[in-house]
Amino acid sequence: ALPGGPWLDIGCGAGNWLQAVQRSGRDAVGVEDNLAALTHCRAQNLAVTDADPLTFLRHAADSSYALISAIHTLNRYPARYGWELVGEAVRALKPNGIFILESSNPGSLLAGSEDVWYDPTVLRPLPAFTAQFLLEYFGLEMVLQRALNPAPEEPGIPDTEMEFVRLLNSQLYGPRAYAMIARRPLVPRESTRAAS
């Protein structure tokens, strides 16, 4: 169950997720700082704001969004920027609101060496462990983690009865992306931030 209110897609890119959300009847907006993506979204009549995502979130009221998504977005910015972006997103989420994060999986050698770099705006891959730590650091509770886009089984190295080969296959041909869904608790738990 989600609280009522608008949804926000940070770094909405070509607008695929935003379009699906709006088609479902939700009140959803995107924020994008890439001119080509922004132009594409506006040509599709999507509600997209031309702004730096972090600046946009800093000006958002506390507890103003029911759901915030960052799909293949955090890897486009320096680490500190991404850290601050998640912190501001959590502040802007309503209690019981949802944060969705999706990223390429650098734990897959194929994804980390090739897939992630298809997007020329990527600065650094975001490992799943780091993403989970970041969400939990800012007080979100993990609801779901899912591996996405595994490579087909055919290219795997044979002799999978050997542990080393199984491990190598999982690193070479494992999931090329991951998704995490986390919830802002109704009552904030004491976070690491408060202790520091």
Side-chain angles (χ1 to χ4, degrees), residues 58-78:
R58 283 181 176 149
H59 289 94
D62 291 356
S63 303
S64 53
Y65 293 99
L67 183 144
I68 297 177
S69 52
I71 299 173
H72 294 275
T73 298
L74 292 183
N75 56 8
R76 292 168 36 189
Y77 299 101

Side-chain angles (χ1 to χ4, degrees), residues 89-104:
V90 171
R91 181 194 55 76
L93 261 180
K94 292 183 173 198
N96 217 32
I98 292 289
F99 187 89
I100 298 175
L101 182 149
E102 185 178 316
S103 184
S104 295

Side-chain angles (χ1 to χ4, degrees), residues 10 19 69 84 89-90 140 165 175:
I10 301 169
Q19 198 170 41
S69 52
E84 292 177 26
V90 171
L140 296 176
V165 173

Side-chain angles (χ1 to χ4, degrees), residues 53 107 109 170:
L109 296 177
S170 72

Side-chain angles (χ1 to χ4, degrees), residues 2 6 31 33 52 56 70 72 86-87 109 113-114 117 121 136 147 157-158 162 175 178 192:
L2 280 171
V31 59
D33 59 358
D52 170 78
F56 180 90
H72 294 275
V86 172
L109 296 177
S113 65
E114 184 178 1
W117 305 114
T121 64
E136 291 175 345
I157 300 168
M162 296 175 56
Y178 63 85
T192 316

